[in-house]
Amino acid sequence: MILYLLWAAFSVLYSPVPVETIFQVGLAAIVWSSLLVLRPLPLTNTLHIVFVVAAIISVLSVAAYLFDAEFALQPFSSTGSAELRGVFEHQLRLGMFAATALGLLVIAFINGDLPKFRGKLTRPVFGGCVAVIAATLYLSQARSPTAALVLALAACCTFAAPQRWLRYTAVFSIGAIIFLVYLYGQELSRAMFTTESDLTFSGRLKIWQETWSAADLQIWTGYGFASFSSSAFDWLWGHYRPPSAHNSLLQTYFETGYIGSLLTLGFVLALLFRGLYISLCTRRISYTLFMAVYGVSCSLMSVIYGGKLSILMTLILLISGQEQTGRAIRRKVAVNRASSHVVRRRMVPASFTERATGT
């Protein structure tokens, strides 16, 4: 993470928007430093806070939809139907945050952490919060975050679920999905991505093609961190300037070149291996593993890793850091207890039988 931030800061030397580059790098550095301070806090407290915040945002968003639909709905729908954005700027961000909260809820349930996850919320209030978050995810019509959630949960259950039946169910589900895609791929594609206004994954295919073509002209260094939405690249898009490349690796390649892409891939792989290692050691699904896999799944259609700091990326860094620190603290406590037990045994005088037998 530090190496990537340093490389992003270096790109200010050739960025077409140096002020924006410095601002985004500085913001990421401040947030990352703040997260380091929060690492010693209990992870379960953070999970509870994320859930409560998601519930509050969902209630506000649904209320906004009931009282002022024009404000609460996405101005230009990509599905042809109403898309709830609520108090967020975009329906995908709202859906992604709601999906993150629901995913953490499922992982907490599988791991047996649900009482801590629920905190002091009563059962009826907790159930109401779950219902309103799920309703918000549905009303947002956020297809890619929802599909990413299903994929992340299936992958985590396949490789790390403590219950054997759950692993078998996840493997069967993945196999069934692959089989259905093989049989009905075109029908599913039309149902998921085709709208009245475009036939190309909501216009993303053209964005990906143009981004890749432009990035190939500056392969090693890219054009500068946080420069994708700059007016300097309007020649790429014509009448419409996309806010992002809608893909993490493509945006990283565009802005920071091969060097930034390799640093980002290394960071993501480190997160995935850390999550798998924690899962194997604890025989539970690591929250780090879920967040990393969900981030990768969302990165196929959105910018999570490598671009400007997002809410999901912030949560990935916070949760992975707290889980790692929590394990280190528990190991240290266990070692101290074992050492204290050995010291106490040595301080207790041997009994007459032990002295007689020499034990």
Side-chain angles (χ1 to χ4, degrees):
M1 184 66 184
I2 297 177
L3 292 177
Y4 182 78
L5 285 178
L6 290 175
W7 177 249
F10 175 77
S11 71
V12 72
L13 298 178
Y14 53 85
S15 172
V17 281
V19 175
E20 178 68 9
T21 299
I22 285 293
F23 174 78
Q24 293 297 336
V25 171
L27 178 62
I30 292 172
V31 172
W32 182 68
S33 302
S34 302
L35 296 180
L36 291 178
V37 177
L38 298 175
R39 280 172 66 106
L41 299 180
L43 174 60
T44 51
N45 290 359
T46 298
L47 300 179
H48 175 71
I49 291 172
V50 170
F51 177 78
V52 171
V53 171
I56 293 173
I57 290 175
S58 298
V59 169
L60 293 175
S61 298
V62 173
Y65 174 66
L66 295 176
F67 291 101
D68 189 356
E70 184 178 355
F71 164 79
L73 296 180
Q74 193 73 14
F76 303 100
S77 173
S78 62
T79 62
S81 58
E83 297 173 346
L84 179 67
R85 65 174 179 175
V87 296
F88 274 36
E89 185 181 355
H90 198 278
Q91 51 97 4
L92 285 179
R93 295 191 184 99
L94 178 64
M96 193 177 295
F97 189 59
T100 302
L102 292 176
L104 291 172
L105 169 65
V106 173
I107 300 300
F109 174 77
I110 295 173
N111 288 341
D113 293 336
L114 199 57
K116 295 180 180 178
F117 189 92
R118 192 180 73 190
K120 296 182 179 180
L121 298 176
T122 62
R123 290 182 183 273
V125 172
F126 182 72
C129 291
V130 174
V132 74
I133 294 174
T136 299
L137 176 59
Y138 173 76
L139 292 173
S140 70
Q141 297 291 307
R143 297 163 296 178
S144 54
T146 303
L149 174 64
V150 174
L151 178 62
L153 288 175
C156 289
C157 289
T158 299
F159 293 104
Q163 301 90 342
R164 183 178 298 177
W165 68 268
L166 192 55
R167 295 198 298 271
Y168 290 159
T169 302
V171 172
F172 176 79
S173 300
I174 293 175
I177 291 173
I178 294 174
F179 183 69
L180 289 174
V181 170
Y182 175 76
L183 289 181
Y184 306 105
Q186 293 183 353
E187 290 80 357
L188 291 173
S189 177
R190 283 196 294 268
M192 285 290 292
F193 303 112
T194 300
T195 69
E196 297 176 356
S197 58
D198 61 75
L199 303 173
T200 56
F201 292 77
S202 300
R204 285 178 174 84
L205 283 180
K206 177 176 173 53
I207 295 173
W208 294 340
Q209 291 167 355
E210 297 296 341
T211 301
W212 198 326
S213 299
D216 282 343
L217 302 176
Q218 196 85 357
I219 59 173
W220 288 106
T221 61
Y223 292 98
F225 183 72
S227 65
F228 184 88
S229 58
S230 167
S231 59
F233 303 109
D234 282 351
W235 56 272
L236 275 174
W237 318 114
H239 67 283
Y240 172 70
R241 183 197 305 168
S244 72
H246 294 289
N247 181 279
S248 287
L249 190 57
L250 271 179
Q251 177 131 346
T252 304
Y253 178 40
F254 182 93
E255 294 185 342
T256 56
Y258 282 161
I259 297 175
S261 299
L262 290 174
L263 292 174
T264 300
L265 286 174
F267 172 74
V268 174
L269 288 175
L271 274 180
L272 292 171
F273 281 119
R274 180 194 297 176
L276 281 173
Y277 177 75
I278 294 175
S279 296
L280 292 174
C281 291
T282 60
R283 296 188 177 183
R284 295 156 40 101
I285 298 178
S286 164
Y287 294 100
T288 299
L289 179 63
F290 167 73
M291 294 299 293
V293 174
Y294 184 58
V296 170
S297 302
C298 288
S299 291
L300 299 176
M301 291 285 189
S302 304
V303 177
I304 307 301
Y305 299 108
K308 297 177 184 178
L309 195 64
S310 63
I311 294 176
L312 181 56
M313 185 61 193
T314 302
L315 290 177
I316 291 172
L317 293 173
L318 177 60
I319 289 174
S320 63
Q322 288 186 339
E323 187 169 44
Q324 185 182 29
T325 303
R327 287 191 69 247
I329 292 174
R330 286 192 294 272
R331 283 201 304 267
K332 186 175 181 180
V333 170
V335 170
N336 290 339
R337 286 179 178 174
S339 301
S340 300
H341 180 68
V342 171
V343 171
R344 285 196 300 269
R345 287 195 60 184
R346 290 177 177 175
M347 294 178 63
V348 173
S351 62
F352 175 79
T353 305
E354 290 174 333
R355 289 196 299 270
T357 57
T359 60

mmCIF file of all heavy atoms in Angstrom, residues 349-359:
data_model
loop_
_atom_site.group_PDB
_atom_site.id
_atom_site.type_symbol
_atom_site.label_atom_id
_atom_site.label_comp_id
_atom_site.label_asym_id
_atom_site.label_seq_id
_atom_site.Cartn_x
_atom_site.Cartn_y
_atom_site.Cartn_z
ATOM 1 N N PRO A 349 5.799 -25.532 45.798
ATOM 2 C CA PRO A 349 6.695 -26.542 46.379
ATOM 3 C C PRO A 349 6.249 -27.943 46.008
ATOM 4 O O PRO A 349 5.062 -28.243 45.912
ATOM 5 C CB PRO A 349 6.562 -26.300 47.889
ATOM 6 C CG PRO A 349 6.009 -24.920 48.011
ATOM 7 C CD PRO A 349 5.167 -24.695 46.819
ATOM 8 N N ALA A 350 7.202 -28.810 45.733
ATOM 9 C CA ALA A 350 6.876 -30.189 45.383
ATOM 10 C C ALA A 350 6.307 -30.922 46.589
ATOM 11 O O ALA A 350 6.730 -30.705 47.732
ATOM 12 C CB ALA A 350 8.123 -30.898 44.877
ATOM 13 N N SER A 351 5.394 -31.815 46.368
ATOM 14 C CA SER A 351 4.787 -32.593 47.445
ATOM 15 C C SER A 351 5.760 -33.686 47.903
ATOM 16 O O SER A 351 6.783 -33.959 47.275
ATOM 17 C CB SER A 351 3.483 -33.246 46.946
ATOM 18 O OG SER A 351 3.762 -34.146 45.894
ATOM 19 N N PHE A 352 5.444 -34.342 49.034
ATOM 20 C CA PHE A 352 6.301 -35.385 49.572
ATOM 21 C C PHE A 352 6.431 -36.536 48.589
ATOM 22 O O PHE A 352 7.524 -37.077 48.388
ATOM 23 C CB PHE A 352 5.721 -35.902 50.903
ATOM 24 C CG PHE A 352 6.474 -37.068 51.475
ATOM 25 C CD1 PHE A 352 7.675 -36.866 52.152
ATOM 26 C CD2 PHE A 352 6.011 -38.374 51.306
ATOM 27 C CE1 PHE A 352 8.386 -37.960 52.637
ATOM 28 C CE2 PHE A 352 6.721 -39.437 51.812
ATOM 29 C CZ PHE A 352 7.905 -39.248 52.496
ATOM 30 N N THR A 353 5.330 -36.886 47.928
ATOM 31 C CA THR A 353 5.363 -37.995 46.959
ATOM 32 C C THR A 353 6.243 -37.660 45.769
ATOM 33 O O THR A 353 7.029 -38.481 45.309
ATOM 34 C CB THR A 353 3.928 -38.299 46.467
ATOM 35 O OG1 THR A 353 3.096 -38.547 47.607
ATOM 36 C CG2 THR A 353 3.926 -39.504 45.530
ATOM 37 N N GLU A 354 6.137 -36.380 45.276
ATOM 38 C CA GLU A 354 6.956 -35.975 44.138
ATOM 39 C C GLU A 354 8.432 -35.967 44.510
ATOM 40 O O GLU A 354 9.277 -36.347 43.708
ATOM 41 C CB GLU A 354 6.521 -34.594 43.644
ATOM 42 C CG GLU A 354 5.155 -34.610 42.984
ATOM 43 C CD GLU A 354 4.697 -33.222 42.637
ATOM 44 O OE1 GLU A 354 5.159 -32.292 43.340
ATOM 45 O OE2 GLU A 354 3.901 -33.050 41.700
ATOM 46 N N ARG A 355 8.762 -35.541 45.780
ATOM 47 C CA ARG A 355 10.168 -35.533 46.184
ATOM 48 C C ARG A 355 10.694 -36.957 46.338
ATOM 49 O O ARG A 355 11.841 -37.242 46.016
ATOM 50 C CB ARG A 355 10.323 -34.785 47.504
ATOM 51 C CG ARG A 355 10.114 -33.275 47.371
ATOM 52 C CD ARG A 355 10.660 -32.537 48.588
ATOM 53 N NE ARG A 355 9.983 -32.943 49.807
ATOM 54 C CZ ARG A 355 8.905 -32.359 50.284
ATOM 55 N NH1 ARG A 355 8.376 -31.311 49.654
ATOM 56 N NH2 ARG A 355 8.332 -32.766 51.404
ATOM 57 N N ALA A 356 9.843 -37.840 46.798
ATOM 58 C CA ALA A 356 10.273 -39.216 47.000
ATOM 59 C C ALA A 356 10.499 -39.948 45.690
ATOM 60 O O ALA A 356 11.429 -40.746 45.549
ATOM 61 C CB ALA A 356 9.236 -39.993 47.834
ATOM 62 N N THR A 357 9.667 -39.668 44.723
ATOM 63 C CA THR A 357 9.786 -40.350 43.424
ATOM 64 C C THR A 357 10.706 -39.616 42.470
ATOM 65 O O THR A 357 11.037 -40.117 41.402
ATOM 66 C CB THR A 357 8.394 -40.491 42.761
ATOM 67 O OG1 THR A 357 7.814 -39.193 42.616
ATOM 68 C CG2 THR A 357 7.503 -41.371 43.621
ATOM 69 N N GLY A 358 11.038 -38.374 42.815
ATOM 70 C CA GLY A 358 11.929 -37.595 41.954
ATOM 71 C C GLY A 358 11.225 -36.964 40.786
ATOM 72 O O GLY A 358 11.890 -36.571 39.829
ATOM 73 N N THR A 359 9.893 -36.866 40.835
ATOM 74 C CA THR A 359 9.129 -36.263 39.729
ATOM 75 C C THR A 359 8.790 -34.822 40.046
ATOM 76 O O THR A 359 8.970 -34.376 41.154
ATOM 77 C CB THR A 359 7.836 -37.049 39.486
ATOM 78 O OG1 THR A 359 7.055 -37.019 40.706
ATOM 79 C CG2 THR A 359 8.136 -38.478 39.085
#
